[in-house]
Amino acid sequence: MQDKSNTNSSVIESQSQKKGVESFEQQKRKRTRKVSDALRIYKCECGKSYLSYPALYTHNKQKHNGQSLKNLDEQRQDSTISESQTQSIFATLANALGKQEDQQQTSLTNKDMYDLVMWEIQLYMMESDSKEFRLDYYHELLKQSSPVEVSTPQHAFIKFIHEVKEVLSFEQMKLVFLFVYSFRQLLLENPDCPTSNLVEKANQLICSQLEKVLKNIQQLSERNYIVNLSRMGNLRETMIQIVLGFCNWLYARNLTDDKLSLKSDSD
């Protein structure tokens, strides 16, 4: 007579092995998630690129016997310099927008971000005949964390706002929102514009679109939403400084290989 205990044991063992294989396949699929190449800033001489220095270091040890470690150290140092450059860019931008050094700056709250988003939506509704527009961008903007993957201009704008809001005041962020709003309106004509070409488009914004933007602000100056902007001494110069700050940030974050060589009014 067949031993039922042995049979049951074989069935259980088979099911356990099957679950183990399925679990391994699920983990394997999970690990192979595609990540934007723009974020893989740590590159090996063989052509492979990684999201972090430790990952690149491990690859180098396993595949190249630890050779070219000097190159790896240089990349790690470049990353530190990039972060330092970013902080310097934000400090310069804050000063250009009239930051009071003797006043302590505090991070914007979620309510502040919501108010800024609503301010921009109201601006859009005042300028546009259409009352229907997509809210995807604003939903992403209101999330507490910035996007990890930056693969589109919209992601770049959102990440820039999330990072700079830790430095600027509420009124200064209104100017940043105005710049992003104007830039996004320009890009509606170029929906397939990659992040790497944003510097070129920023130059176009300054050279051919900024006067129109400033004219629209003047026409809307009687509205309470932006009356403080219309009273600024040189709004054009302020907007140029924001464009320069944004383009320098793109370069520091390795999102573009271009630099903006535009001269401002004070140069």
Side-chain angles (χ1 to χ4, degrees):
M1 187 174 67
Q2 186 178 8
D3 190 344
K4 293 184 178 180
S5 62
N6 291 338
T7 303
N8 292 337
S9 176
S10 299
V11 171
I12 294 174
E13 182 178 355
S14 175
Q15 292 176 344
S16 177
Q17 291 176 350
K18 184 178 180 181
K19 289 182 179 179
V21 172
E22 291 176 350
S23 177
F24 174 77
E25 291 298 328
Q26 290 173 355
Q27 292 177 7
K28 185 177 179 182
R29 286 195 296 269
K30 185 176 181 180
R31 285 199 300 270
T32 57
R33 181 174 57 89
K34 180 176 176 57
V35 181
S36 172
D37 290 339
L39 292 175
R40 298 180 179 272
I41 61 176
Y42 299 90
K43 299 179 180 179
C44 179
E45 296 172 353
C46 71
K48 293 283 187 177
S49 58
Y50 296 89
L51 296 173
S52 65
Y53 173 80
L56 177 59
Y57 185 89
T58 301
H59 161 80
N60 187 271
K61 291 286 287 185
Q62 294 178 345
K63 302 298 183 181
H64 307 299
N65 297 320
Q67 300 299 318
S68 301
L69 291 180
K70 181 180 178 180
N71 182 48
L72 294 181
D73 290 336
E74 289 176 352
Q75 291 200 41
R76 179 170 57 180
Q77 184 178 6
D78 289 344
S79 177
T80 303
I81 293 174
S82 175
E83 188 64 34
S84 176
Q85 288 175 336
T86 301
Q87 296 305 318
S88 176
I89 290 167
F90 291 160
T92 302
L93 181 58
N95 290 329
L97 299 184
K99 175 183 176 182
Q100 299 293 328
E101 293 293 344
D102 57 342
Q103 293 182 0
Q104 184 178 2
Q105 292 291 314
T106 57
S107 300
L108 272 70
T109 64
N110 290 337
K111 182 181 182 304
D112 291 333
M113 285 295 294
Y114 178 81
D115 290 342
L116 285 167
V117 166
M118 291 307 300
W119 177 80
E120 181 176 326
I121 291 176
Q122 289 167 340
L123 178 63
Y124 177 91
M125 294 180 68
M126 284 189 289
E127 285 196 294
S128 175
D129 295 331
S130 174
K131 304 303 179 185
E132 297 181 1
F133 53 95
R134 299 184 62 177
L135 296 174
D136 306 35
Y137 168 76
Y138 300 106
H139 288 157
E140 290 293 318
L141 193 59
L142 286 172
K143 291 182 178 179
Q144 294 187 10
S145 58
S146 62
V148 175
E149 179 180 349
V150 180
S151 57
T152 67
Q154 301 289 20
H155 291 152
F157 292 139
I158 293 171
K159 191 172 185 66
F160 176 72
I161 289 175
H162 271 281
E163 290 191 15
V164 79
K165 75 178 182 180
E166 304 298 328
V167 179
L168 302 185
S169 67
F170 182 84
E171 292 301 321
Q172 290 169 339
M173 285 301 296
K174 270 193 175 183
L175 294 168
V176 172
F177 266 70
L178 182 62
F179 151 70
V180 172
Y181 168 78
S182 304
F183 206 167
R184 290 177 65 235
Q185 292 296 96
L186 172 66
L187 291 177
L188 289 178
E189 303 172 3
N190 303 272
D192 298 326
C193 175
T195 304
S196 58
N197 287 354
L198 282 179
V199 173
E200 178 185 347
K201 295 301 179 183
N203 189 75
Q204 181 181 343
L205 173 67
I206 292 293
C207 295
S208 62
Q209 298 291 322
L210 187 56
E211 297 304 326
K212 178 182 177 181
V213 171
L214 298 178
K215 183 178 179 181
N216 290 343
I217 293 174
Q218 188 63 34
Q219 292 176 347
L220 296 169
S221 62
E222 299 303 321
R223 310 276 185 147
N224 292 331
Y225 308 111
I226 57 175
V227 64
N228 62 315
L229 302 183
S230 64
R231 292 174 181 170
M232 292 191 63
N234 193 342
L235 184 58
R236 184 177 190 276
E237 176 67 17
T238 302
M239 293 294 288
I240 289 176
Q241 291 300 322
I242 296 176
V243 174
L244 287 171
F246 177 69
C247 291
N248 289 335
W249 174 83
L250 287 171
Y251 185 82
R253 287 289 182 229
N254 297 296
L255 297 174
T256 180
D257 294 328
D258 299 327
K259 282 188 175 181
L260 191 65
S261 58
L262 181 73
K263 289 185 177 294
S264 61
D265 292 350
S266 60
D267 291 338

